[in-house]
Amino acid sequence: MNELLGWARSDPRVEKVELQVRSSNEPAIGLYRSLGFVEEGRKTRRVKIGPGEYIDDVYMALWVGQ
């Protein structure tokens, strides 16, 4: 991830890096936050995991350009 972000910051064509992660993946969300990503939105009840149980998709982004 650090190499990707280093490349993104060095390329003037890249202004923003976006990703999506399952809301249940707390370790990944913590990693992305530690790198500076912020939550920009959610797609609620994106994945059904059982009767009446769903997981959201979390949309995160990091601005790397000027």
Side-chain angles (χ1 to χ4, degrees):
M1 184 61 84
N2 285 326
E3 285 192 34
L4 168 71
L5 295 177
W7 168 82
R9 287 184 175 109
S10 70
D11 190 324
R13 298 172 297 174
V14 180
E15 294 184 348
K16 185 179 182 184
V17 177
E18 300 175 328
L19 58 85
Q20 68 185 61
V21 60
R22 303 280 189 235
S23 60
S24 60
N25 194 345
E26 293 178 19
I29 292 171
L31 170 66
Y32 300 141
R33 284 190 176 135
S34 75
L35 294 170
F37 283 81
V38 296
E39 183 175 328
E40 290 198 325
R42 285 179 178 247
K43 190 151 195 153
T44 57
R45 298 172 57 143
R46 179 75 171 118
V47 178
K48 186 172 186 173
I49 60 171
E53 292 184 75
Y54 299 86
I55 298 174
D56 296 350
D57 273 349
V58 179
Y59 292 82
M60 302 183 81
L62 174 66
W63 286 93
V64 295
Q66 283 81 9

